[in-house]
Amino acid sequence: MAHVSRLGVAQGLSGRLVKTVLIKASFQYCEANEIDWAIVAARTPLDRQYAALMFVDVFPNSGFTPLPHMNNVPHRVMGFEIASGKSRWAQAQHPLLDFFCHTYHPDIDVLDEPDQPAQLHFDSGRARAAQIQ
């Protein structure tokens, strides 16, 4: 399981693009490391962005949950099953399918070495993975 947090970026068009690229890099990292689920906790209205990406409620009947490590601000805890992501986006004809799955971005480099978990780094606007020593 991966817990994605603190994807705070500047507002506006460039901020949305950066956030979308960070989510793409996180998805690729999870795929490369055979991580089953990505988990996010989002306040309103940010939760709707993750719902649009097809994240689902981890606790469907609980609504928003106050999180102690976030000053008890209510958050919606959501998850995304990584292995079925591409097929679910394709079936839904999701508008970001091509961007996430069929567009090469040289600034996103997630290495997958056998028996070595990758660690995602963001340096000078470049996302890359490095082996944990």
Side-chain angles (χ1 to χ4, degrees):
M1 175 182 357
H3 175 218
V4 179
S5 67
R6 293 293 198 182
L7 290 179
V9 295
Q11 292 183 355
L13 184 59
S14 63
R16 277 180 282 177
L17 177 60
V18 169
K19 185 172 186 173
T20 303
V21 171
L22 289 172
I23 291 170
K24 175 180 178 156
S26 298
F27 177 74
Q28 288 182 346
Y29 173 85
C30 289
E31 277 190 315
N33 288 280
E34 299 178 355
I35 294 172
D36 296 327
W37 287 85
I39 305 297
V40 297
R43 317 180 301 285
T44 196
L46 300 175
D47 64 309
R48 291 190 291 254
Q49 294 175 0
Y50 293 103
L53 290 170
M54 303 181 74
F55 279 72
V56 296
D57 289 308
V58 172
F59 308 110
N61 299 321
S62 297
F64 287 77
T65 305
L67 299 179
H69 66 286
M70 299 295 234
N71 295 324
N72 286 316
V73 174
H75 282 66
R76 187 173 170 191
V77 181
M78 305 175 80
F80 186 88
E81 184 183 29
I82 301 300
S84 66
K86 287 179 184 177
S87 63
R88 287 184 294 121
W89 286 331
Q91 184 176 25
Q93 297 179 343
H94 197 281
L96 289 173
L97 173 67
D98 283 339
F99 181 83
F100 281 136
C101 302
H102 305 297
T103 304
Y104 172 68
H105 293 97
D107 289 341
I108 301 174
D109 181 16
V110 181
L111 303 175
D112 184 19
E113 295 295 325
D115 301 322
Q116 291 290 327
Q119 182 177 7
L120 194 59
H121 293 277
F122 296 93
D123 297 321
S124 305
R126 180 175 166 79
R128 62 179 173 78
Q131 298 309 310
I132 299 172
Q133 301 299 331

